[in-house]
Amino acid sequence: MTPSAVTLSLFDIFRDLNTQQREEIAARMKCAEYPSGKYVISSGAAGNVYFLISGSVRACAYSEQGKQVFFEDLSPGMLFGELSAIDDGPRTGDCLCTSTCLIASFDKATFLTLLDDYSSVNRAVLVRLVAMVRRQLQRVYEYTTYSVNQRIRFELLRLAYETGEKEEPVILDSVPTQTELADRISSHREAVSRELKILEKEGLITWSRSQHAILDRDGLLKRAYVA
């Protein structure tokens, strides 16, 4: 099973290529379905570069005590595993399917050849790497500067931003659990639960089983800068 040129157009790194170029690349890929809970990448292992066609994948790592350290939630149209392919180093984290996924892949030699052969692919990968660095630098800044409650508010704002919605309320169709939110901000579930209840009481969010929404993004942003 191989993806099509249309499928590859979903990925930013292939968007500037023509149909024939995407067809040639697609023919070199392998495609497989992964069940929820399956590890696509494990830390320390070598391997391929992967392209998420459908489903969701979490990039993370685990401490010696088993605590999950969150890096990024990947959605369709995103690639992963490129760092190891670029520098030939070991994997620094795990990539875990959080739903049933359809994923295409090819080996690192093919990936590096693409970077050499297509300048638009090379630039798109560089842009993604820069975005990764910026995101992690922002998290480091937040961890060292802001309180737990502030970090929760910033994480909610990130969730709202990722929807692409401009109008309010911003409805969040897929949200992390309270434990997952705690992992993202290096805290614990109880702190997240308390803060969500406070923000809901203030009318800034709705956080219930029936709906998760950001009601007042500007108000939440102002609160984010208050310890």
PDB file of all heavy atoms in Angstrom, residues 44-67:
ATOM      1  N   GLY A  44      16.016   5.913  21.544  1.00  0.00           N
ATOM      2  CA  GLY A  44      17.243   5.149  21.405  1.00  0.00           C
ATOM      3  C   GLY A  44      17.339   4.344  20.122  1.00  0.00           C
ATOM      4  O   GLY A  44      18.428   3.934  19.719  1.00  0.00           O
ATOM      5  N   ALA A  45      16.196   4.105  19.465  1.00  0.00           N
ATOM      6  CA  ALA A  45      16.196   3.273  18.261  1.00  0.00           C
ATOM      7  C   ALA A  45      16.449   4.103  17.017  1.00  0.00           C
ATOM      8  O   ALA A  45      16.150   5.294  16.969  1.00  0.00           O
ATOM      9  CB  ALA A  45      14.865   2.537  18.140  1.00  0.00           C
ATOM     10  N   ALA A  46      17.019   3.484  16.006  1.00  0.00           N
ATOM     11  CA  ALA A  46      17.156   4.119  14.701  1.00  0.00           C
ATOM     12  C   ALA A  46      15.885   3.826  13.910  1.00  0.00           C
ATOM     13  O   ALA A  46      15.056   3.025  14.322  1.00  0.00           O
ATOM     14  CB  ALA A  46      18.384   3.577  13.978  1.00  0.00           C
ATOM     15  N   GLY A  47      15.723   4.471  12.762  1.00  0.00           N
ATOM     16  CA  GLY A  47      14.524   4.157  12.002  1.00  0.00           C
ATOM     17  C   GLY A  47      14.229   5.127  10.890  1.00  0.00           C
ATOM     18  O   GLY A  47      15.087   5.905  10.463  1.00  0.00           O
ATOM     19  N   ASN A  48      12.974   5.084  10.443  1.00  0.00           N
ATOM     20  CA  ASN A  48      12.534   5.833   9.284  1.00  0.00           C
ATOM     21  C   ASN A  48      12.030   7.227   9.648  1.00  0.00           C
ATOM     22  O   ASN A  48      11.973   7.612  10.807  1.00  0.00           O
ATOM     23  CB  ASN A  48      11.415   5.056   8.586  1.00  0.00           C
ATOM     24  CG  ASN A  48      11.873   3.686   8.100  1.00  0.00           C
ATOM     25  OD1 ASN A  48      13.055   3.481   7.831  1.00  0.00           O
ATOM     26  ND2 ASN A  48      10.951   2.758   7.995  1.00  0.00           N
ATOM     27  N   VAL A  49      11.629   7.941   8.602  1.00  0.00           N
ATOM     28  CA  VAL A  49      10.910   9.203   8.758  1.00  0.00           C
ATOM     29  C   VAL A  49       9.451   8.903   8.443  1.00  0.00           C
ATOM     30  O   VAL A  49       9.141   8.198   7.476  1.00  0.00           O
ATOM     31  CB  VAL A  49      11.455  10.284   7.810  1.00  0.00           C
ATOM     32  CG1 VAL A  49      10.673  11.583   7.963  1.00  0.00           C
ATOM     33  CG2 VAL A  49      12.934  10.520   8.084  1.00  0.00           C
ATOM     34  N   TYR A  50       8.539   9.441   9.260  1.00  0.00           N
ATOM     35  CA  TYR A  50       7.130   9.061   9.182  1.00  0.00           C
ATOM     36  C   TYR A  50       6.256  10.266   8.843  1.00  0.00           C
ATOM     37  O   TYR A  50       6.555  11.403   9.231  1.00  0.00           O
ATOM     38  CB  TYR A  50       6.674   8.456  10.512  1.00  0.00           C
ATOM     39  CG  TYR A  50       7.416   7.182  10.870  1.00  0.00           C
ATOM     40  CD1 TYR A  50       8.597   7.237  11.606  1.00  0.00           C
ATOM     41  CD2 TYR A  50       6.946   5.939  10.465  1.00  0.00           C
ATOM     42  CE1 TYR A  50       9.291   6.080  11.934  1.00  0.00           C
ATOM     43  CE2 TYR A  50       7.634   4.776  10.786  1.00  0.00           C
ATOM     44  CZ  TYR A  50       8.801   4.854  11.518  1.00  0.00           C
ATOM     45  OH  TYR A  50       9.483   3.710  11.833  1.00  0.00           O
ATOM     46  N   PHE A  51       5.151   9.975   8.161  1.00  0.00           N
ATOM     47  CA  PHE A  51       4.216  10.998   7.721  1.00  0.00           C
ATOM     48  C   PHE A  51       2.813  10.585   8.145  1.00  0.00           C
ATOM     49  O   PHE A  51       2.296   9.564   7.696  1.00  0.00           O
ATOM     50  CB  PHE A  51       4.299  11.175   6.203  1.00  0.00           C
ATOM     51  CG  PHE A  51       5.652  11.597   5.722  1.00  0.00           C
ATOM     52  CD1 PHE A  51       6.674  10.657   5.542  1.00  0.00           C
ATOM     53  CD2 PHE A  51       5.936  12.928   5.489  1.00  0.00           C
ATOM     54  CE1 PHE A  51       7.934  11.042   5.122  1.00  0.00           C
ATOM     55  CE2 PHE A  51       7.207  13.322   5.075  1.00  0.00           C
ATOM     56  CZ  PHE A  51       8.206  12.379   4.889  1.00  0.00           C
ATOM     57  N   LEU A  52       2.210  11.388   9.015  1.00  0.00           N
ATOM     58  CA  LEU A  52       0.912  11.047   9.582  1.00  0.00           C
ATOM     59  C   LEU A  52      -0.211  11.446   8.620  1.00  0.00           C
ATOM     60  O   LEU A  52      -0.449  12.635   8.393  1.00  0.00           O
ATOM     61  CB  LEU A  52       0.744  11.737  10.938  1.00  0.00           C
ATOM     62  CG  LEU A  52      -0.537  11.434  11.714  1.00  0.00           C
ATOM     63  CD1 LEU A  52      -0.670   9.938  11.982  1.00  0.00           C
ATOM     64  CD2 LEU A  52      -0.556  12.219  13.024  1.00  0.00           C
ATOM     65  N   ILE A  53      -0.903  10.444   8.079  1.00  0.00           N
ATOM     66  CA  ILE A  53      -1.988  10.678   7.129  1.00  0.00           C
ATOM     67  C   ILE A  53      -3.315  10.860   7.848  1.00  0.00           C
ATOM     68  O   ILE A  53      -4.111  11.746   7.527  1.00  0.00           O
ATOM     69  CB  ILE A  53      -2.071   9.514   6.118  1.00  0.00           C
ATOM     70  CG1 ILE A  53      -0.779   9.442   5.304  1.00  0.00           C
ATOM     71  CG2 ILE A  53      -3.285   9.679   5.183  1.00  0.00           C
ATOM     72  CD1 ILE A  53      -0.674   8.209   4.418  1.00  0.00           C
ATOM     73  N   SER A  54      -3.580  10.029   8.850  1.00  0.00           N
ATOM     74  CA  SER A  54      -4.797  10.167   9.649  1.00  0.00           C
ATOM     75  C   SER A  54      -4.526   9.669  11.061  1.00  0.00           C
ATOM     76  O   SER A  54      -3.625   8.865  11.282  1.00  0.00           O
ATOM     77  CB  SER A  54      -5.956   9.383   9.024  1.00  0.00           C
ATOM     78  OG  SER A  54      -5.697   7.992   9.036  1.00  0.00           O
ATOM     79  N   GLY A  55      -5.324  10.163  12.006  1.00  0.00           N
ATOM     80  CA  GLY A  55      -5.131   9.778  13.398  1.00  0.00           C
ATOM     81  C   GLY A  55      -4.324  10.805  14.160  1.00  0.00           C
ATOM     82  O   GLY A  55      -4.130  11.940  13.703  1.00  0.00           O
ATOM     83  N   SER A  56      -3.847  10.433  15.337  1.00  0.00           N
ATOM     84  CA  SER A  56      -3.082  11.349  16.188  1.00  0.00           C
ATOM     85  C   SER A  56      -1.939  10.597  16.866  1.00  0.00           C
ATOM     86  O   SER A  56      -2.093   9.445  17.276  1.00  0.00           O
ATOM     87  CB  SER A  56      -3.988  11.993  17.243  1.00  0.00           C
ATOM     88  OG  SER A  56      -4.656  11.012  18.006  1.00  0.00           O
ATOM     89  N   VAL A  57      -0.806  11.272  16.968  1.00  0.00           N
ATOM     90  CA  VAL A  57       0.408  10.692  17.546  1.00  0.00           C
ATOM     91  C   VAL A  57       0.971  11.661  18.568  1.00  0.00           C
ATOM     92  O   VAL A  57       1.011  12.878  18.321  1.00  0.00           O
ATOM     93  CB  VAL A  57       1.458  10.400  16.458  1.00  0.00           C
ATOM     94  CG1 VAL A  57       2.798  10.015  17.082  1.00  0.00           C
ATOM     95  CG2 VAL A  57       0.981   9.293  15.526  1.00  0.00           C
ATOM     96  N   ARG A  58       1.416  11.143  19.690  1.00  0.00           N
ATOM     97  CA  ARG A  58       2.032  11.977  20.732  1.00  0.00           C
ATOM     98  C   ARG A  58       3.542  11.754  20.777  1.00  0.00           C
ATOM     99  O   ARG A  58       4.003  10.618  20.877  1.00  0.00           O
ATOM    100  CB  ARG A  58       1.436  11.683  22.101  1.00  0.00           C
ATOM    101  CG  ARG A  58       2.152  12.397  23.247  1.00  0.00           C
ATOM    102  CD  ARG A  58       1.274  12.495  24.452  1.00  0.00           C
ATOM    103  NE  ARG A  58       0.071  13.252  24.112  1.00  0.00           N
ATOM    104  CZ  ARG A  58      -1.061  13.208  24.811  1.00  0.00           C
ATOM    105  NH1 ARG A  58      -1.124  12.445  25.882  1.00  0.00           N
ATOM    106  NH2 ARG A  58      -2.099  13.922  24.444  1.00  0.00           N
ATOM    107  N   ALA A  59       4.288  12.839  20.666  1.00  0.00           N
ATOM    108  CA  ALA A  59       5.739  12.792  20.855  1.00  0.00           C
ATOM    109  C   ALA A  59       6.022  13.099  22.316  1.00  0.00           C
ATOM    110  O   ALA A  59       5.594  14.136  22.842  1.00  0.00           O
ATOM    111  CB  ALA A  59       6.421  13.815  19.952  1.00  0.00           C
ATOM    112  N   CYS A  60       6.724  12.196  22.987  1.00  0.00           N
ATOM    113  CA  CYS A  60       6.930  12.340  24.423  1.00  0.00           C
ATOM    114  C   CYS A  60       8.171  11.563  24.841  1.00  0.00           C
ATOM    115  O   CYS A  60       8.845  10.932  24.024  1.00  0.00           O
ATOM    116  CB  CYS A  60       5.707  11.828  25.198  1.00  0.00           C
ATOM    117  SG  CYS A  60       5.301  10.089  24.876  1.00  0.00           S
ATOM    118  N   ALA A  61       8.466  11.624  26.119  1.00  0.00           N
ATOM    119  CA  ALA A  61       9.534  10.818  26.710  1.00  0.00           C
ATOM    120  C   ALA A  61       9.074  10.432  28.111  1.00  0.00           C
ATOM    121  O   ALA A  61       8.090  10.975  28.620  1.00  0.00           O
ATOM    122  CB  ALA A  61      10.846  11.592  26.761  1.00  0.00           C
ATOM    123  N   TYR A  62       9.778   9.491  28.723  1.00  0.00           N
ATOM    124  CA  TYR A  62       9.393   9.029  30.054  1.00  0.00           C
ATOM    125  C   TYR A  62      10.585   9.106  31.006  1.00  0.00           C
ATOM    126  O   TYR A  62      11.706   8.746  30.637  1.00  0.00           O
ATOM    127  CB  TYR A  62       8.862   7.597  29.997  1.00  0.00           C
ATOM    128  CG  TYR A  62       7.538   7.491  29.283  1.00  0.00           C
ATOM    129  CD1 TYR A  62       7.487   7.274  27.908  1.00  0.00           C
ATOM    130  CD2 TYR A  62       6.337   7.634  29.967  1.00  0.00           C
ATOM    131  CE1 TYR A  62       6.272   7.200  27.242  1.00  0.00           C
ATOM    132  CE2 TYR A  62       5.117   7.551  29.322  1.00  0.00           C
ATOM    133  CZ  TYR A  62       5.090   7.334  27.956  1.00  0.00           C
ATOM    134  OH  TYR A  62       3.889   7.264  27.296  1.00  0.00           O
ATOM    135  N   SER A  63      10.314   9.586  32.200  1.00  0.00           N
ATOM    136  CA  SER A  63      11.351   9.622  33.227  1.00  0.00           C
ATOM    137  C   SER A  63      11.569   8.220  33.774  1.00  0.00           C
ATOM    138  O   SER A  63      10.804   7.294  33.471  1.00  0.00           O
ATOM    139  CB  SER A  63      10.932  10.560  34.369  1.00  0.00           C
ATOM    140  OG  SER A  63       9.852   9.977  35.097  1.00  0.00           O
ATOM    141  N   GLU A  64      12.600   8.054  34.596  1.00  0.00           N
ATOM    142  CA  GLU A  64      12.874   6.747  35.202  1.00  0.00           C
ATOM    143  C   GLU A  64      11.730   6.307  36.112  1.00  0.00           C
ATOM    144  O   GLU A  64      11.530   5.114  36.343  1.00  0.00           O
ATOM    145  CB  GLU A  64      14.183   6.803  35.996  1.00  0.00           C
ATOM    146  CG  GLU A  64      15.417   6.977  35.115  1.00  0.00           C
ATOM    147  CD  GLU A  64      16.692   6.959  35.930  1.00  0.00           C
ATOM    148  OE1 GLU A  64      16.595   6.826  37.182  1.00  0.00           O
ATOM    149  OE2 GLU A  64      17.782   7.086  35.335  1.00  0.00           O
ATOM    150  N   GLN A  65      10.958   7.278  36.604  1.00  0.00           N
ATOM    151  CA  GLN A  65       9.817   6.963  37.468  1.00  0.00           C
ATOM    152  C   GLN A  65       8.546   6.699  36.666  1.00  0.00           C
ATOM    153  O   GLN A  65       7.486   6.435  37.231  1.00  0.00           O
ATOM    154  CB  GLN A  65       9.564   8.109  38.464  1.00  0.00           C
ATOM    155  CG  GLN A  65      10.655   8.305  39.499  1.00  0.00           C
ATOM    156  CD  GLN A  65      11.912   8.944  38.910  1.00  0.00           C
ATOM    157  OE1 GLN A  65      11.825   9.770  38.008  1.00  0.00           O
ATOM    158  NE2 GLN A  65      13.077   8.551  39.418  1.00  0.00           N
ATOM    159  N   GLY A  66       8.648   6.790  35.338  1.00  0.00           N
ATOM    160  CA  GLY A  66       7.500   6.510  34.479  1.00  0.00           C
ATOM    161  C   GLY A  66       6.634   7.706  34.167  1.00  0.00           C
ATOM    162  O   GLY A  66       5.593   7.565  33.520  1.00  0.00           O
ATOM    163  N   LYS A  67       7.028   8.906  34.586  1.00  0.00           N
ATOM    164  CA  LYS A  67       6.253  10.109  34.293  1.00  0.00           C
ATOM    165  C   LYS A  67       6.445  10.510  32.841  1.00  0.00           C
ATOM    166  O   LYS A  67       7.565  10.580  32.344  1.00  0.00           O
ATOM    167  CB  LYS A  67       6.673  11.266  35.208  1.00  0.00           C
ATOM    168  CG  LYS A  67       5.923  12.571  34.935  1.00  0.00           C
ATOM    169  CD  LYS A  67       6.367  13.647  35.895  1.00  0.00           C
ATOM    170  CE  LYS A  67       5.770  15.008  35.538  1.00  0.00           C
ATOM    171  NZ  LYS A  67       4.285  14.981  35.539  1.00  0.00           N
TER     172      LYS A  67
END
